Amino acid sequence: MKGGSEEADAERRTGDPGVPDRLGVSDLDFELPNAGVGPDPLRLADLAADPKNDALVVLFQRDYHSRACRQQVKAVADRYREFRDRSAAVVSVLPESKGKARKFQKKFHLPYALVADAEKTASEQYGQPTRLGGLGARIDLVGRMPETAVLDARGGDLRLHAVHRGDSPSDHPSVDDVLAMVDRALEWESD
């Protein structure tokens, strides 16, 4: 896991809302237009309130055209049953308009939510990294790096468990690594 520390680990374990540092995430909830499976608009807190969801996996994509991101969403889709077997829901966040998100969904037929974050509000809340300064902030394919967040949603509350912030355009955790992050998120409170 990248972006964490022992202090942040302790905060995730305690779930103490008084602790201000949540791995650089300013607000866990967001509401965005959904071009995929589920309600439109999609609100993360509503997914957490669903008793069928013990965990949420949020995949922050780089761009509509990113080959590595397309590979990731397809790999997760191919193994989505393994996420659902763990009572984990997946949300993919595309930094594009809802129209582009619809095209993306039409092409890949994802079995999970695909939200459009044209203004990049959720991406900023979650501290999705960018590189190359102002140019990278304006042109997602050049500057935006991938990010994966795993949240514990048991009891209807959102608690951040882990964040993987990519160092390069293709730095996505494998599906096995994301499933392991979900497993760790769901086991630490049951101990």
Side-chain angles (χ1 to χ4, degrees):
M1 171 188 63
K2 295 179 186 176
S5 67
E6 286 185 34
E7 264 180 43
D9 257 2
E11 177 208 342
R12 284 191 309 278
R13 290 192 210 322
T14 63
D16 183 358
V19 178
D21 181 20
R22 292 188 290 206
L23 295 176
V25 177
S26 63
D27 188 6
L28 297 175
D29 193 19
F30 58 75
E31 182 177 309
L32 292 170
N34 184 12
V37 174
D40 180 25
L42 181 129
R43 188 169 161 251
L44 214 54
D46 292 341
L47 281 182
D50 184 336
K52 292 182 250 171
N53 297 327
D54 289 341
L56 304 178
V57 175
V58 185
L59 307 172
F60 289 92
Q61 307 305 322
R62 296 183 53 233
D63 182 83
Y64 176 86
H65 299 288
S66 168
R67 183 176 51 207
C69 291
R70 288 172 179 231
Q71 290 170 340
Q72 181 192 41
V73 297
K74 287 191 288 186
V76 170
D78 289 345
R79 295 182 60 189
Y80 192 58
R81 174 65 10 221
E82 293 176 64
F83 287 89
R84 292 311 303 152
D85 287 347
R86 290 166 169 80
S87 299
V90 175
V91 177
S92 183
V93 180
L94 191 63
E96 302 282 0
S97 68
K98 187 173 181 183
K100 281 221 176 159
R102 280 190 194 119
K103 286 181 186 178
F104 201 82
Q105 176 62 10
K106 187 175 180 180
K107 183 170 185 152
F108 297 110
H109 306 285
L110 302 177
Y112 49 85
L114 172 65
V115 297
D117 189 13
E119 300 299 318
K120 295 149 188 87
T121 54
S123 300
E124 289 175 15
Q125 282 173 217
Y126 274 75
Q128 184 179 13
T130 57
R131 63 182 182 158
L132 305 176
L135 176 66
R138 285 190 311 277
I139 304 172
D140 295 322
L141 187 60
V142 173
R144 190 163 297 282
M145 296 295 104
E147 178 172 313
T148 300
V150 175
L151 295 95
D152 183 334
R154 290 175 288 187
D157 295 323
L158 291 169
R159 290 174 303 283
L160 183 63
H161 176 74
V163 173
H164 176 98
R165 290 189 175 96
D167 291 332
S168 69
S170 62
D171 186 8
H172 294 272
S174 71
V175 174
D176 287 331
D177 288 344
V178 177
L179 289 167
M181 291 164 70
V182 170
D183 290 341
R184 284 191 301 275
L186 296 177
E187 73 185 22
W188 63 256
E189 279 211 355
S190 64
D191 292 343

